Amino acid sequence: MAMISKAAAKRLPDSRVEKALDSLAPLSTREEFISDIRGQWEEVRKRFLYIGRRLAEAHGKLGRAEYESLISGSDLPFGRSVAIQLRSVYEAVRDGRLQQDELPGSYATAYQVITLTDHEIDRARREGLVRPNLLRREIVEFKQRLRLPEESLGRREQRLRRLNSEKMRLISRLEAIEAEINKLNEHP
């Protein structure tokens, strides 16, 4: 029996996927395609939660060093950043911050949602943004809107301080100029 490397094995087609693709029933109507694709998309969401759950289990059982090695190495088909996002989304669902049925279909979009505070998530819900068909750009725009007033307020205060400082400097300079003019006028 010939031995192959782990990397070569990863590139081999998964026979389960191949069988599933071979057994696809032919579809012909728009409704059939919509129904099938939506069902498959729901499976994707379940899969990323499953992977997140396994990562959370590994995090709890392997110890910090081994877990970091696992998610930072080449053993998984994704890197550390994706592992953190998947695990974080799973933990948010597990802890009740989000319900599974309101998760966006993309783990990256779901991660953007869970980086909000609980208060911000409530506000996003009220605005209809915590939903399965949420787009990443929608949640990014929401986050920008939330943070813009705080940043603008900070910039405004800085600008006011600079302008007041400049005003005081100019007033002081004006007083010095007036004093010099008065001195020159006293002694023609």
Side-chain angles (χ1 to χ4, degrees):
M1 181 159 111
M3 299 292 286
I4 62 172
S5 71
K6 187 184 278 189
K10 285 182 180 180
R11 288 191 299 269
L12 291 174
D14 184 335
S15 62
R16 296 170 297 177
V17 171
E18 293 300 320
K19 282 182 184 177
L21 290 173
D22 288 342
S23 67
L24 289 178
L27 305 175
S28 57
T29 68
R30 176 185 171 103
E31 290 75 24
E32 288 174 335
F33 283 107
I34 290 171
S35 177
D36 186 64
I37 291 169
R38 283 181 185 243
Q40 294 302 319
W41 195 250
E42 181 58 32
E43 289 302 313
V44 168
R45 187 172 11 175
K46 287 177 185 174
R47 293 279 186 220
F48 78 68
L49 278 176
Y50 176 85
I51 294 167
R53 179 180 177 177
R54 288 300 193 194
L55 288 165
E57 290 172 5
H59 182 258
K61 291 185 179 174
L62 295 180
R64 182 180 175 93
E66 190 173 356
Y67 178 76
E68 282 297 321
S69 173
L70 171 72
I71 65 172
S72 298
S74 60
D75 293 330
L76 300 177
F78 47 82
R80 184 176 191 281
S81 176
V82 171
I84 289 169
Q85 291 178 39
L86 290 166
R87 188 182 103 214
S88 298
V89 169
Y90 164 74
E91 289 171 344
V93 171
R94 178 197 66 198
D95 298 343
R97 292 189 69 219
L98 286 179
Q99 300 302 311
Q100 184 172 340
D101 63 348
E102 63 185 1
L103 275 179
S106 159
Y107 73 86
T109 304
Y111 182 75
Q112 289 296 316
V113 173
I114 67 155
T115 61
L116 297 169
T117 65
D118 289 341
H119 174 73
E120 291 169 337
I121 289 174
D122 290 341
R123 182 172 169 184
R125 279 189 180 105
R126 287 192 303 273
E127 293 187 25
L129 289 173
V130 182
R131 61 181 198 277
N133 63 345
L134 176 67
L135 300 176
R136 187 175 187 281
R137 71 173 161 75
E138 290 177 291
I139 197 67
V140 168
E141 288 168 3
F142 174 76
K143 289 169 86 171
Q144 289 171 345
R145 274 195 339 263
L146 284 178
R147 287 160 176 91
L148 184 63
E150 292 172 17
E151 292 173 10
S152 294
L153 184 61
R155 282 191 224 129
R156 181 176 175 269
E157 288 172 4
Q158 284 179 342
R159 178 99 172 118
L160 279 172
R161 278 194 299 271
R162 274 197 307 267
L163 289 172
N164 280 325
S165 176
E166 179 73 3
K167 177 183 170 184
M168 297 308 291
R169 188 186 68 74
L170 290 173
I171 287 171
S172 182
R173 179 69 179 130
L174 268 175
E175 288 171 352
I177 290 171
E178 283 184 29
E180 190 173 340
I181 289 172
N182 287 338
K183 190 176 179 182
L184 287 172
N185 282 336
E186 288 176 7
H187 306 295

